[in-house]
């Protein structure tokens, strides 16, 4: 998840054009980090889905979802939100210790990519 650092922003269009460009570049950098790490861990990675929803939260955020070839066919062609609700609400799935190495790898890769992108 990428969250805007600008207070009281709900929609992408609430940002100035320069802020929008920065937010979307940062979203691309996050996606690059997720792609690099997830592809290295599971070569069945097919693509990334990027979503800016704004339906339930009162702040601007964007989501990056890796999508894999092993996902159920009926779920693979639609948004990740078609997965059963318990996939999004289960503490086992969201905060499982088994995911910590992936979170750390994505964070490390994101810092590397950001340092490269913003060096100058």
């Amino acid at each position: 998840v990428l969250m805007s650092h600008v207070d009281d922003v709900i929609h992408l269009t609430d940002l100035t054009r320069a802020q929008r460009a920065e937010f979307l570049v940062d979203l691309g950098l996050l996606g690059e980090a997720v792609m690099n790490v997830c592809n290295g861990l599971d070569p069945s990675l097919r693509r990334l889905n990027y979503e800016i929803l704004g339906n339930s939260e009162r702040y601007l955020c964007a989501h990056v979802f890796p999508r894999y070839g092993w996902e159920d066919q009926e779920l693979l062609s639609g948004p990740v939100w078609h997965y059963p609700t318990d996939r999004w609400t289960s503490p086992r799935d969201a905060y499982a210790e088994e995911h910590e190495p992936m979170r750390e790898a994505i964070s490390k890769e994101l810092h590397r990519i950001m340092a490269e992108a913003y060096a100058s």
Side-chain angles (χ1 to χ4, degrees), residues 73-117:
Q73 195 59 40
E74 68 273 3
L75 296 171
L76 189 57
S77 62
V80 296
W81 305 111
H82 287 174
Y83 272 87
T85 305
D86 66 344
R87 277 298 281 173
W88 308 109
T89 58
S90 167
R92 191 209 79 74
D93 291 325
Y95 303 106
E97 286 182 25
E98 68 191 78
H99 300 306
E100 193 56 35
M102 181 184 292
R103 279 193 283 272
E104 288 176 6
I106 291 171
S107 180
K108 182 178 179 180
E109 180 67 0
L110 181 59
H111 282 91
R112 184 192 70 75
I113 289 169
M114 288 175 63
E116 180 182 289

Side-chain angles (χ1 to χ4, degrees), residues 2 20-36 48 50 62 64 110 113-114 117-118:
L2 173 69
R20 274 183 248 164
E22 181 182 342
F23 184 81
L24 293 172
V25 165
D26 286 347
L27 181 59
L29 296 175
L30 175 58
E32 185 179 342
V34 170
M35 176 71 88
N36 290 348
L48 294 180
Y50 296 84
V64 177
L110 181 59
I113 289 169
M114 288 175 63
Y118 293 115

Side-chain angles (χ1 to χ4, degrees), residues 39-69:
N39 195 43
L41 294 174
D42 187 342
S44 70
L45 180 73
R46 293 182 63 239
R47 63 173 295 113
L48 294 180
N49 288 156
Y50 296 84
E51 297 185 358
I52 300 174
L53 300 171
N55 297 333
S56 60
E57 305 300 334
R58 300 294 298 166
Y59 51 85
L60 177 62
C61 62
H63 303 261
V64 177
F65 294 103
R67 303 302 302 267
Y68 296 93

